[in-house]
Amino acid sequence: AIGVTACSKTLDTEGLESQLKSQIEEQTDGSFTSVDCPDDVEAKAGETFDCSAEEGSGATFTIRVTQRDGEGNVDWEVVDAST
């Protein structure tokens, strides 16, 4: 017998982290040292998850990411910031 396992598609969060970092820096004129998103996020339209970002000054931000589709297209917004 052959076992079949259903695998769900996951987002390329490393690529997303880089993309978010560039977009945030562009919009805020800031310099960010890191953007971290969870690993193993299932690619699914409408799903949300949070990433964290740290600016060079030490300020941290929470970024809420919403998936527009199952192909890795997302919208994001900063939902929390602390200095």
Short mmCIF file of all heavy atoms in Angstrom, two decimals, residues 9-78:
data_model
loop_
_atom_site.label_atom_id
_atom_site.label_comp_id
_atom_site.label_asym_id
_atom_site.label_seq_id
_atom_site.Cartn_x
_atom_site.Cartn_y
_atom_site.Cartn_z
N LYS A 9 0.48 24.14 1.12
CA LYS A 9 1.49 25.06 0.62
C LYS A 9 1.80 26.10 1.70
O LYS A 9 0.90 26.63 2.33
CB LYS A 9 0.94 25.75 -0.64
CG LYS A 9 1.91 26.68 -1.31
CD LYS A 9 1.29 27.24 -2.58
CE LYS A 9 2.21 28.24 -3.22
NZ LYS A 9 1.61 28.86 -4.39
N THR A 10 3.09 26.37 1.90
CA THR A 10 3.46 27.37 2.88
C THR A 10 4.06 28.59 2.18
O THR A 10 4.59 28.49 1.07
CB THR A 10 4.48 26.82 3.91
OG1 THR A 10 5.63 26.35 3.21
CG2 THR A 10 3.88 25.70 4.73
N LEU A 11 3.98 29.72 2.86
CA LEU A 11 4.53 30.96 2.32
C LEU A 11 6.04 30.96 2.41
O LEU A 11 6.61 30.38 3.33
CB LEU A 11 4.00 32.16 3.10
CG LEU A 11 2.56 32.57 2.91
CD1 LEU A 11 2.24 33.76 3.81
CD2 LEU A 11 2.29 32.93 1.47
N ASP A 12 6.68 31.66 1.50
CA ASP A 12 8.11 31.90 1.56
C ASP A 12 8.31 33.08 2.51
O ASP A 12 8.37 34.23 2.09
CB ASP A 12 8.65 32.23 0.16
CG ASP A 12 10.09 32.70 0.17
OD1 ASP A 12 10.78 32.52 1.20
OD2 ASP A 12 10.53 33.24 -0.85
N THR A 13 8.37 32.78 3.82
CA THR A 13 8.44 33.87 4.79
C THR A 13 9.78 34.59 4.77
O THR A 13 9.84 35.76 5.09
CB THR A 13 8.11 33.39 6.22
OG1 THR A 13 8.92 32.27 6.55
CG2 THR A 13 6.65 33.01 6.35
N GLU A 14 10.84 33.92 4.35
CA GLU A 14 12.13 34.61 4.24
C GLU A 14 12.05 35.69 3.17
O GLU A 14 12.50 36.81 3.35
CB GLU A 14 13.27 33.63 3.91
CG GLU A 14 13.76 32.87 5.12
CD GLU A 14 15.01 32.06 4.80
OE1 GLU A 14 15.80 32.48 3.94
OE2 GLU A 14 15.17 31.00 5.43
N GLY A 15 11.45 35.36 2.03
CA GLY A 15 11.27 36.33 0.97
C GLY A 15 10.33 37.45 1.41
O GLY A 15 10.55 38.62 1.10
N LEU A 16 9.29 37.08 2.17
CA LEU A 16 8.34 38.07 2.66
C LEU A 16 9.02 39.03 3.64
O LEU A 16 8.78 40.23 3.59
CB LEU A 16 7.16 37.37 3.34
CG LEU A 16 6.10 38.27 3.96
CD1 LEU A 16 5.46 39.16 2.89
CD2 LEU A 16 5.04 37.45 4.67
N GLU A 17 9.87 38.51 4.51
CA GLU A 17 10.57 39.37 5.47
C GLU A 17 11.39 40.43 4.74
O GLU A 17 11.37 41.61 5.11
CB GLU A 17 11.48 38.51 6.37
CG GLU A 17 10.72 37.67 7.36
CD GLU A 17 11.57 36.60 8.02
OE1 GLU A 17 12.72 36.40 7.62
OE2 GLU A 17 11.06 35.95 8.94
N SER A 18 12.08 40.03 3.70
CA SER A 18 12.89 40.96 2.92
C SER A 18 12.01 42.00 2.23
O SER A 18 12.32 43.20 2.22
CB SER A 18 13.71 40.17 1.89
OG SER A 18 14.44 41.03 1.07
N GLN A 19 10.90 41.55 1.67
CA GLN A 19 9.96 42.44 0.99
C GLN A 19 9.36 43.44 1.98
O GLN A 19 9.30 44.64 1.69
CB GLN A 19 8.86 41.61 0.35
CG GLN A 19 7.78 42.39 -0.34
CD GLN A 19 6.66 41.49 -0.86
OE1 GLN A 19 6.71 40.27 -0.78
NE2 GLN A 19 5.62 42.10 -1.37
N LEU A 20 8.93 42.97 3.14
CA LEU A 20 8.36 43.86 4.15
C LEU A 20 9.38 44.90 4.61
O LEU A 20 9.06 46.07 4.75
CB LEU A 20 7.86 43.06 5.36
CG LEU A 20 6.58 42.27 5.18
CD1 LEU A 20 6.32 41.42 6.42
CD2 LEU A 20 5.40 43.18 4.90
N LYS A 21 10.61 44.46 4.85
CA LYS A 21 11.67 45.37 5.30
C LYS A 21 11.85 46.51 4.30
O LYS A 21 11.88 47.68 4.66
CB LYS A 21 12.98 44.61 5.51
CG LYS A 21 14.12 45.44 6.04
CD LYS A 21 15.34 44.55 6.29
CE LYS A 21 16.50 45.32 6.86
NZ LYS A 21 17.15 46.21 5.91
N SER A 22 11.93 46.18 3.03
CA SER A 22 12.10 47.19 1.98
C SER A 22 10.91 48.15 1.93
O SER A 22 11.09 49.37 1.84
CB SER A 22 12.26 46.53 0.62
OG SER A 22 13.44 45.77 0.56
N GLN A 23 9.70 47.60 1.99
CA GLN A 23 8.50 48.43 1.90
C GLN A 23 8.36 49.35 3.11
O GLN A 23 7.98 50.51 2.98
CB GLN A 23 7.26 47.56 1.73
CG GLN A 23 7.19 46.89 0.38
CD GLN A 23 5.98 45.99 0.23
OE1 GLN A 23 5.13 45.87 1.11
NE2 GLN A 23 5.88 45.32 -0.91
N ILE A 24 8.64 48.83 4.30
CA ILE A 24 8.52 49.63 5.52
C ILE A 24 9.55 50.76 5.50
O ILE A 24 9.23 51.91 5.82
CB ILE A 24 8.69 48.76 6.78
CG1 ILE A 24 7.52 47.78 6.90
CG2 ILE A 24 8.78 49.62 8.03
CD1 ILE A 24 7.75 46.70 7.91
N GLU A 25 10.78 50.44 5.11
CA GLU A 25 11.82 51.47 5.04
C GLU A 25 11.44 52.56 4.05
O GLU A 25 11.66 53.74 4.30
CB GLU A 25 13.17 50.85 4.68
CG GLU A 25 13.77 50.05 5.81
CD GLU A 25 15.09 49.38 5.46
OE1 GLU A 25 15.37 49.17 4.27
OE2 GLU A 25 15.83 49.08 6.40
N GLU A 26 10.86 52.15 2.93
CA GLU A 26 10.44 53.10 1.91
C GLU A 26 9.34 54.03 2.43
O GLU A 26 9.37 55.22 2.20
CB GLU A 26 9.94 52.31 0.69
CG GLU A 26 9.72 53.14 -0.55
CD GLU A 26 9.33 52.26 -1.72
OE1 GLU A 26 10.17 51.47 -2.18
OE2 GLU A 26 8.16 52.35 -2.14
N GLN A 27 8.39 53.47 3.16
CA GLN A 27 7.26 54.26 3.65
C GLN A 27 7.59 55.12 4.87
O GLN A 27 6.96 56.14 5.08
CB GLN A 27 6.07 53.36 3.96
CG GLN A 27 5.41 52.80 2.72
CD GLN A 27 4.09 52.12 3.02
OE1 GLN A 27 3.53 52.26 4.10
NE2 GLN A 27 3.59 51.36 2.06
N THR A 28 8.55 54.68 5.68
CA THR A 28 8.82 55.38 6.92
C THR A 28 10.12 56.18 6.91
O THR A 28 10.39 56.92 7.83
CB THR A 28 8.90 54.40 8.10
OG1 THR A 28 10.01 53.52 7.89
CG2 THR A 28 7.61 53.61 8.26
N ASP A 29 10.92 56.00 5.89
CA ASP A 29 12.23 56.64 5.83
C ASP A 29 13.12 56.17 6.99
O ASP A 29 14.05 56.86 7.38
CB ASP A 29 12.10 58.17 5.87
CG ASP A 29 12.62 58.80 4.60
OD1 ASP A 29 13.11 58.07 3.71
OD2 ASP A 29 12.54 60.04 4.48
N GLY A 30 12.81 55.01 7.56
CA GLY A 30 13.58 54.46 8.66
C GLY A 30 14.56 53.41 8.18
O GLY A 30 14.54 53.01 7.01
N SER A 31 15.41 52.98 9.07
CA SER A 31 16.36 51.91 8.78
C SER A 31 16.08 50.76 9.74
O SER A 31 16.25 50.90 10.96
CB SER A 31 17.79 52.42 8.95
OG SER A 31 18.70 51.36 8.74
N PHE A 32 15.62 49.65 9.20
CA PHE A 32 15.23 48.52 10.04
C PHE A 32 16.33 47.45 10.05
O PHE A 32 16.88 47.13 9.00
CB PHE A 32 13.90 47.93 9.57
CG PHE A 32 12.74 48.81 9.93
CD1 PHE A 32 12.46 49.95 9.19
CD2 PHE A 32 11.96 48.52 11.01
CE1 PHE A 32 11.41 50.79 9.53
CE2 PHE A 32 10.90 49.35 11.37
CZ PHE A 32 10.63 50.48 10.63
N THR A 33 16.63 46.95 11.24
CA THR A 33 17.67 45.94 11.38
C THR A 33 17.14 44.54 11.12
O THR A 33 17.88 43.67 10.69
CB THR A 33 18.32 45.99 12.78
OG1 THR A 33 17.29 45.83 13.76
CG2 THR A 33 19.04 47.31 12.99
N SER A 34 15.84 44.34 11.37
CA SER A 34 15.29 43.00 11.16
C SER A 34 13.78 43.04 11.00
O SER A 34 13.11 43.92 11.52
CB SER A 34 15.65 42.07 12.31
OG SER A 34 14.98 42.46 13.49
N VAL A 35 13.28 42.06 10.27
CA VAL A 35 11.86 41.75 10.19
C VAL A 35 11.77 40.23 10.34
O VAL A 35 12.44 39.49 9.62
CB VAL A 35 11.23 42.20 8.86
CG1 VAL A 35 9.78 41.72 8.77
CG2 VAL A 35 11.30 43.71 8.70
N ASP A 36 10.98 39.78 11.29
CA ASP A 36 10.85 38.35 11.55
C ASP A 36 9.39 37.92 11.47
O ASP A 36 8.54 38.48 12.16
CB ASP A 36 11.40 37.99 12.94
CG ASP A 36 12.90 38.20 13.03
OD1 ASP A 36 13.62 37.66 12.18
OD2 ASP A 36 13.34 38.91 13.95
N CYS A 37 9.13 36.93 10.64
CA CYS A 37 7.79 36.35 10.50
C CYS A 37 7.86 34.88 10.92
O CYS A 37 8.93 34.27 10.85
CB CYS A 37 7.32 36.45 9.05
SG CYS A 37 7.13 38.14 8.43
N PRO A 38 6.73 34.33 11.34
CA PRO A 38 6.75 32.91 11.73
C PRO A 38 7.04 32.01 10.53
O PRO A 38 6.73 32.36 9.39
CB PRO A 38 5.33 32.67 12.27
CG PRO A 38 4.51 33.80 11.77
CD PRO A 38 5.42 34.94 11.48
N ASP A 39 7.66 30.88 10.80
CA ASP A 39 7.90 29.87 9.76
C ASP A 39 6.62 29.04 9.60
O ASP A 39 5.75 29.05 10.45
CB ASP A 39 9.04 28.94 10.17
CG ASP A 39 10.37 29.68 10.28
OD1 ASP A 39 10.57 30.66 9.53
OD2 ASP A 39 11.18 29.29 11.14
N ASP A 40 6.55 28.33 8.51
CA ASP A 40 5.45 27.38 8.27
C ASP A 40 4.07 28.03 8.29
O ASP A 40 3.13 27.48 8.85
CB ASP A 40 5.49 26.22 9.28
CG ASP A 40 6.77 25.42 9.16
OD1 ASP A 40 7.30 25.31 8.04
OD2 ASP A 40 7.26 24.92 10.19
N VAL A 41 3.95 29.21 7.69
CA VAL A 41 2.64 29.85 7.55
C VAL A 41 1.97 29.27 6.32
O VAL A 41 2.52 29.29 5.22
CB VAL A 41 2.79 31.39 7.39
CG1 VAL A 41 1.43 32.03 7.11
CG2 VAL A 41 3.42 32.00 8.62
N GLU A 42 0.77 28.71 6.52
CA GLU A 42 0.04 28.13 5.40
C GLU A 42 -0.43 29.23 4.45
O GLU A 42 -0.95 30.25 4.89
CB GLU A 42 -1.16 27.34 5.92
CG GLU A 42 -1.93 26.64 4.83
CD GLU A 42 -3.11 25.83 5.34
OE1 GLU A 42 -3.27 25.69 6.57
OE2 GLU A 42 -3.87 25.34 4.50
N ALA A 43 -0.21 29.02 3.16
CA ALA A 43 -0.66 29.98 2.15
C ALA A 43 -2.16 29.79 1.95
O ALA A 43 -2.61 28.78 1.41
CB ALA A 43 0.09 29.75 0.84
N LYS A 44 -2.94 30.75 2.44
CA LYS A 44 -4.39 30.63 2.38
C LYS A 44 -5.02 32.02 2.38
O LYS A 44 -4.75 32.82 3.27
CB LYS A 44 -4.88 29.82 3.60
CG LYS A 44 -6.34 29.48 3.57
CD LYS A 44 -6.68 28.58 4.75
CE LYS A 44 -8.15 28.22 4.74
NZ LYS A 44 -8.51 27.41 5.90
N ALA A 45 -5.83 32.28 1.38
CA ALA A 45 -6.47 33.59 1.25
C ALA A 45 -7.25 33.95 2.51
O ALA A 45 -7.94 33.12 3.08
CB ALA A 45 -7.41 33.60 0.05
N GLY A 46 -7.07 35.21 2.96
CA GLY A 46 -7.80 35.71 4.11
C GLY A 46 -7.14 35.46 5.45
O GLY A 46 -7.53 36.04 6.46
N GLU A 47 -6.15 34.58 5.50
CA GLU A 47 -5.47 34.29 6.76
C GLU A 47 -4.58 35.46 7.16
O GLU A 47 -4.01 36.15 6.32
CB GLU A 47 -4.62 33.02 6.63
CG GLU A 47 -5.43 31.75 6.47
CD GLU A 47 -6.25 31.40 7.69
OE1 GLU A 47 -5.69 31.32 8.80
OE2 GLU A 47 -7.47 31.22 7.53
N THR A 48 -4.45 35.67 8.46
CA THR A 48 -3.58 36.73 8.97
C THR A 48 -2.55 36.14 9.92
O THR A 48 -2.78 35.09 10.53
CB THR A 48 -4.37 37.83 9.72
OG1 THR A 48 -5.00 37.25 10.85
CG2 THR A 48 -5.40 38.49 8.82
N PHE A 49 -1.43 36.83 10.04
CA PHE A 49 -0.40 36.48 11.01
C PHE A 49 0.40 37.74 11.30
O PHE A 49 0.32 38.72 10.56
CB PHE A 49 0.49 35.34 10.51
CG PHE A 49 1.19 35.63 9.20
CD1 PHE A 49 2.47 36.16 9.18
CD2 PHE A 49 0.57 35.36 7.99
CE1 PHE A 49 3.11 36.42 7.99
CE2 PHE A 49 1.20 35.62 6.79
CZ PHE A 49 2.49 36.15 6.79
N ASP A 50 1.15 37.71 12.40
CA ASP A 50 1.93 38.88 12.80
C ASP A 50 3.42 38.63 12.61
O ASP A 50 3.91 37.53 12.88
CB ASP A 50 1.67 39.22 14.27
CG ASP A 50 0.28 39.78 14.51
OD1 ASP A 50 -0.37 40.20 13.53
OD2 ASP A 50 -0.16 39.81 15.67
N CYS A 51 4.10 39.68 12.16
CA CYS A 51 5.56 39.70 12.07
C CYS A 51 6.05 40.80 13.00
O CYS A 51 5.30 41.70 13.36
CB CYS A 51 6.01 40.00 10.64
SG CYS A 51 5.46 38.79 9.40
N SER A 52 7.31 40.73 13.38
CA SER A 52 7.88 41.79 14.20
C SER A 52 9.03 42.43 13.43
O SER A 52 9.71 41.78 12.64
CB SER A 52 8.38 41.22 15.53
OG SER A 52 9.38 40.24 15.31
N ALA A 53 9.20 43.73 13.67
CA ALA A 53 10.27 44.48 13.01
C ALA A 53 10.99 45.30 14.06
O ALA A 53 10.39 45.76 15.03
CB ALA A 53 9.69 45.39 11.94
N GLU A 54 12.29 45.47 13.86
CA GLU A 54 13.08 46.29 14.78
C GLU A 54 13.82 47.34 13.98
O GLU A 54 14.48 47.04 12.98
CB GLU A 54 14.06 45.45 15.58
CG GLU A 54 14.79 46.29 16.61
CD GLU A 54 15.64 45.45 17.57
OE1 GLU A 54 15.36 44.25 17.73
OE2 GLU A 54 16.58 46.02 18.13
N GLU A 55 13.67 48.58 14.42
CA GLU A 55 14.33 49.71 13.78
C GLU A 55 15.72 49.88 14.40
O GLU A 55 15.99 49.42 15.50
CB GLU A 55 13.50 50.97 13.99
CG GLU A 55 13.91 52.12 13.11
CD GLU A 55 13.02 53.34 13.30
OE1 GLU A 55 12.45 53.50 14.39
OE2 GLU A 55 12.93 54.13 12.37
N GLY A 56 16.61 50.55 13.67
CA GLY A 56 17.97 50.78 14.15
C GLY A 56 18.03 51.45 15.51
O GLY A 56 18.94 51.23 16.29
N SER A 57 17.01 52.25 15.84
CA SER A 57 16.97 52.96 17.14
C SER A 57 16.60 52.03 18.28
O SER A 57 16.66 52.42 19.44
CB SER A 57 15.94 54.09 17.06
OG SER A 57 14.63 53.54 16.94
N GLY A 58 16.18 50.80 17.96
CA GLY A 58 15.76 49.86 19.00
C GLY A 58 14.25 49.76 19.13
O GLY A 58 13.74 48.93 19.86
N ALA A 59 13.51 50.65 18.45
CA ALA A 59 12.05 50.59 18.48
C ALA A 59 11.59 49.31 17.79
O ALA A 59 12.18 48.87 16.81
CB ALA A 59 11.46 51.81 17.77
N THR A 60 10.52 48.71 18.33
CA THR A 60 9.98 47.49 17.74
C THR A 60 8.55 47.73 17.26
O THR A 60 7.83 48.56 17.82
CB THR A 60 10.00 46.32 18.74
OG1 THR A 60 9.26 46.68 19.90
CG2 THR A 60 11.43 45.95 19.12
N PHE A 61 8.17 46.99 16.24
CA PHE A 61 6.86 47.14 15.62
C PHE A 61 6.26 45.77 15.38
O PHE A 61 6.97 44.83 15.06
CB PHE A 61 7.00 47.85 14.26
CG PHE A 61 7.62 49.22 14.35
CD1 PHE A 61 8.99 49.37 14.35
CD2 PHE A 61 6.82 50.34 14.45
CE1 PHE A 61 9.57 50.62 14.44
CE2 PHE A 61 7.39 51.61 14.54
CZ PHE A 61 8.77 51.74 14.53
N THR A 62 4.94 45.69 15.51
CA THR A 62 4.21 44.49 15.13
C THR A 62 3.52 44.79 13.81
O THR A 62 2.85 45.81 13.67
CB THR A 62 3.16 44.09 16.19
OG1 THR A 62 3.84 43.84 17.42
CG2 THR A 62 2.39 42.85 15.76
N ILE A 63 3.69 43.90 12.85
CA ILE A 63 3.13 44.07 11.52
C ILE A 63 2.10 42.97 11.29
O ILE A 63 2.44 41.78 11.36
CB ILE A 63 4.23 43.98 10.44
CG1 ILE A 63 5.32 45.00 10.72
CG2 ILE A 63 3.63 44.16 9.05
CD1 ILE A 63 6.61 44.70 10.00
N ARG A 64 0.86 43.36 11.06
CA ARG A 64 -0.20 42.39 10.77
C ARG A 64 -0.23 42.16 9.27
O ARG A 64 -0.38 43.11 8.49
CB ARG A 64 -1.54 42.92 11.28
CG ARG A 64 -2.74 42.12 10.90
CD ARG A 64 -3.35 41.20 11.96
NE ARG A 64 -2.77 41.15 13.27
CZ ARG A 64 -3.27 41.76 14.36
NH1 ARG A 64 -4.33 42.51 14.28
NH2 ARG A 64 -2.68 41.60 15.52
N VAL A 65 -0.07 40.91 8.87
CA VAL A 65 -0.03 40.55 7.46
C VAL A 65 -1.30 39.77 7.13
O VAL A 65 -1.66 38.83 7.83
CB VAL A 65 1.21 39.68 7.15
CG1 VAL A 65 1.24 39.28 5.68
CG2 VAL A 65 2.49 40.42 7.53
N THR A 66 -1.99 40.19 6.07
CA THR A 66 -3.21 39.51 5.60
C THR A 66 -2.95 38.99 4.20
O THR A 66 -2.52 39.74 3.32
CB THR A 66 -4.41 40.47 5.58
OG1 THR A 66 -4.59 41.02 6.89
CG2 THR A 66 -5.69 39.74 5.16
N GLN A 67 -3.21 37.71 4.01
CA GLN A 67 -2.99 37.10 2.70
C GLN A 67 -4.16 37.41 1.76
O GLN A 67 -5.31 37.15 2.10
CB GLN A 67 -2.84 35.59 2.84
CG GLN A 67 -1.63 35.21 3.68
CD GLN A 67 -1.48 33.72 3.77
OE1 GLN A 67 -1.28 33.05 2.76
NE2 GLN A 67 -1.56 33.18 4.97
N ARG A 68 -3.85 37.97 0.61
CA ARG A 68 -4.88 38.27 -0.39
C ARG A 68 -5.31 37.02 -1.15
O ARG A 68 -6.42 36.95 -1.66
CB ARG A 68 -4.38 39.32 -1.38
CG ARG A 68 -4.22 40.68 -0.77
CD ARG A 68 -4.09 41.77 -1.81
NE ARG A 68 -3.05 41.54 -2.79
CZ ARG A 68 -1.92 42.23 -2.88
NH1 ARG A 68 -1.67 43.20 -2.05
NH2 ARG A 68 -1.03 41.94 -3.81
N ASP A 69 -4.40 36.06 -1.26
CA ASP A 69 -4.68 34.82 -1.99
C ASP A 69 -3.77 33.73 -1.47
O ASP A 69 -3.05 33.94 -0.50
CB ASP A 69 -4.48 35.03 -3.51
CG ASP A 69 -3.10 35.56 -3.85
OD1 ASP A 69 -2.12 35.24 -3.13
OD2 ASP A 69 -2.98 36.29 -4.85
N GLY A 70 -3.78 32.60 -2.09
CA GLY A 70 -2.92 31.49 -1.68
C GLY A 70 -1.60 31.46 -2.42
O GLY A 70 -0.89 30.46 -2.40
N GLU A 71 -1.28 32.55 -3.09
CA GLU A 71 -0.07 32.61 -3.92
C GLU A 71 1.03 33.50 -3.33
O GLU A 71 2.02 33.78 -3.99
CB GLU A 71 -0.42 33.13 -5.32
CG GLU A 71 -1.47 32.29 -6.02
CD GLU A 71 -1.06 30.83 -6.19
OE1 GLU A 71 0.11 30.57 -6.55
OE2 GLU A 71 -1.90 29.95 -5.93
N GLY A 72 0.86 33.98 -2.11
CA GLY A 72 1.89 34.79 -1.48
C GLY A 72 1.71 36.29 -1.61
O GLY A 72 2.56 37.06 -1.19
N ASN A 73 0.59 36.73 -2.18
CA ASN A 73 0.30 38.16 -2.26
C ASN A 73 -0.35 38.60 -0.95
O ASN A 73 -1.33 37.99 -0.51
CB ASN A 73 -0.62 38.46 -3.45
CG ASN A 73 0.07 38.13 -4.76
OD1 ASN A 73 1.11 38.68 -5.08
ND2 ASN A 73 -0.50 37.21 -5.51
N VAL A 74 0.20 39.64 -0.35
CA VAL A 74 -0.25 40.04 0.97
C VAL A 74 -0.45 41.55 1.07
O VAL A 74 0.08 42.32 0.28
CB VAL A 74 0.77 39.61 2.07
CG1 VAL A 74 0.97 38.10 2.08
CG2 VAL A 74 2.10 40.34 1.90
N ASP A 75 -1.22 41.95 2.07
CA ASP A 75 -1.33 43.34 2.52
C ASP A 75 -0.79 43.36 3.94
O ASP A 75 -0.86 42.35 4.65
CB ASP A 75 -2.80 43.79 2.52
CG ASP A 75 -3.38 43.91 1.12
OD1 ASP A 75 -2.69 44.42 0.22
OD2 ASP A 75 -4.53 43.49 0.94
N TRP A 76 -0.27 44.51 4.36
CA TRP A 76 0.25 44.59 5.72
C TRP A 76 -0.03 45.95 6.31
O TRP A 76 -0.27 46.92 5.59
CB TRP A 76 1.74 44.28 5.76
CG TRP A 76 2.57 45.24 4.92
CD1 TRP A 76 2.92 45.09 3.61
CD2 TRP A 76 3.13 46.47 5.35
NE1 TRP A 76 3.65 46.16 3.19
CE2 TRP A 76 3.81 47.04 4.24
CE3 TRP A 76 3.14 47.18 6.55
CZ2 TRP A 76 4.49 48.25 4.30
CZ3 TRP A 76 3.82 48.39 6.62
CH2 TRP A 76 4.47 48.91 5.51
N GLU A 77 -0.02 45.99 7.64
CA GLU A 77 -0.16 47.26 8.36
C GLU A 77 0.56 47.14 9.70
O GLU A 77 0.63 46.05 10.28
CB GLU A 77 -1.63 47.62 8.57
CG GLU A 77 -2.38 46.64 9.48
CD GLU A 77 -3.81 47.04 9.72
OE1 GLU A 77 -4.11 48.25 9.78
OE2 GLU A 77 -4.64 46.14 9.89
N VAL A 78 1.10 48.25 10.16
CA VAL A 78 1.73 48.29 11.48
C VAL A 78 0.60 48.43 12.49
O VAL A 78 -0.20 49.36 12.40
CB VAL A 78 2.73 49.45 11.59
CG1 VAL A 78 3.27 49.55 13.00
CG2 VAL A 78 3.87 49.27 10.59
#
